[in-house]
Amino acid sequence: MHYVYDYAHQYPDFIRYYQKTIIPEESFFHTILMNQTNFKILNNNQRYISWQVSHPNSPAILTSQHFKQLITSNKHFGRKFDVEKDRKILDLLEREILLS
């Protein structure tokens, strides 16, 4: 995180660019980290995504029905959650993480 923080302060034009970008969280950190040579970046995003929905261009919203698949997936992140649809999944995951 220190690297990203330092980079952001060193390159204010980069920050200004991302202030006007649609969905900056999809590429902000990735762009900074992938354009440096000090870290070993693995080509594995460790993200659990379910594409089993009727709309092929958008992943399924993960719910408590996905809990078992999430905790046995060996992934560190999940996409995508919606507390309006199912808040319980986040409570289940938090409990699992805190008890581990």
Side-chain angles (χ1 to χ4, degrees):
M1 286 307 297
H2 290 290
Y3 180 85
V4 173
Y5 180 83
D6 292 344
Y7 187 94
H9 280 84
Q10 187 176 356
Y11 298 99
D13 289 343
F14 183 80
I15 300 303
R16 279 192 287 281
Y17 171 80
Y18 268 93
Q19 288 173 332
K20 297 177 180 153
T21 301
I22 297 173
I23 316 172
E25 65 274 12
E26 295 272 337
S27 63
F28 178 83
F29 293 101
H30 316 69
T31 301
I32 292 172
L33 295 174
M34 292 301 290
N35 284 293
Q36 58 70 45
T37 59
N38 301 323
F39 305 121
K40 180 179 179 184
I41 305 293
L42 301 177
N43 191 16
N44 183 342
N45 64 22
Q46 292 296 320
R47 190 172 5 174
Y48 179 86
I49 302 174
S50 174
W51 291 100
Q52 298 176 350
V53 292
S54 59
H55 192 282
N57 296 326
S58 181
I61 295 173
L62 302 175
T63 65
S64 8
Q65 293 177 340
H66 295 97
F67 178 70
K68 185 169 181 144
Q69 294 101 314
L70 279 161
I71 62 169
T72 59
S73 70
N74 291 321
K75 302 294 184 185
H76 300 184
F77 306 98
R79 180 169 183 232
K80 69 187 183 180
F81 299 96
D82 183 346
V83 295
E84 300 293 323
K85 184 170 182 182
D86 187 348
R87 180 180 301 272
K88 183 180 176 185
I89 182 60
L90 298 178
D91 295 335
L92 291 168
L93 290 169
E94 183 177 340
R95 191 173 314 126
E96 179 72 20
I97 291 166
L98 293 175
L99 294 177
S100 296

